[in-house]
Amino acid sequence: ALSRSKNPSLAGALLEQLPELAHAAPKRGDAGLVNRLDRETSGILLGARNRESWGKLSALLKAGKISKRYLVLAEGKLAAPCEPIGTE
């Protein structure tokens, strides 16, 4: 459960539960969070548990080598075929 700490952010909650994440990112309060990958939706966060992993993930992200793929699970039949959404 998330606490009611002085810092109600996700990073604050992560740090409260896993204090070792304080050293996972260069900025101490970031709790190892590298990036929010999907700002247009509720979002998915990319995080690391240590500084080495944070550096590697950050470099991959900057180089454009991290991609997203969505999988939808649905029950029943679709009324009509669907086209992919947001493909570029």
Side-chain angles (χ1 to χ4, degrees), residues 3-4 6 11-12 14 17 19 21-23 28-30 44 49 51 59 72 77 84 86-87:
S3 72
R4 296 179 185 150
K6 294 178 187 175
L14 285 169
Q17 296 297 314
L21 293 180
H23 305 288
R28 186 170 172 83
D30 284 351
I44 186 167
R49 296 209 51 163
R51 183 71 62 94
V72 175
K77 287 188 170 188
T87 58

Side-chain angles (χ1 to χ4, degrees), residues 2-79:
L2 297 180
S3 72
R4 296 179 185 150
S5 67
K6 294 178 187 175
N7 185 356
S9 68
L10 175 61
L14 285 169
L15 288 170
E16 190 167 300
Q17 296 297 314
L18 301 164
E20 66 272 15
L21 293 180
H23 305 288
K27 187 176 173 188
R28 186 170 172 83
D30 284 351
L33 296 173
V34 177
N35 195 289
R36 183 170 179 175
L37 296 177
D38 221 344
R39 295 183 191 282
E40 295 81 24
T41 66
S42 59
I44 186 167
L45 298 169
L46 178 62
R49 296 209 51 163
N50 59 56
R51 183 71 62 94
E52 180 182 0
S53 296
W54 189 94
K56 288 179 181 180
L57 288 169
S58 183
L60 287 169
L61 188 65
K62 285 179 185 175
K65 295 187 177 186
I66 292 180
S67 63
K68 302 175 279 187
R69 190 171 130 190
Y70 298 89
L71 173 67
V72 175
L73 300 176
E75 186 175 324
K77 287 188 170 188
L78 295 173

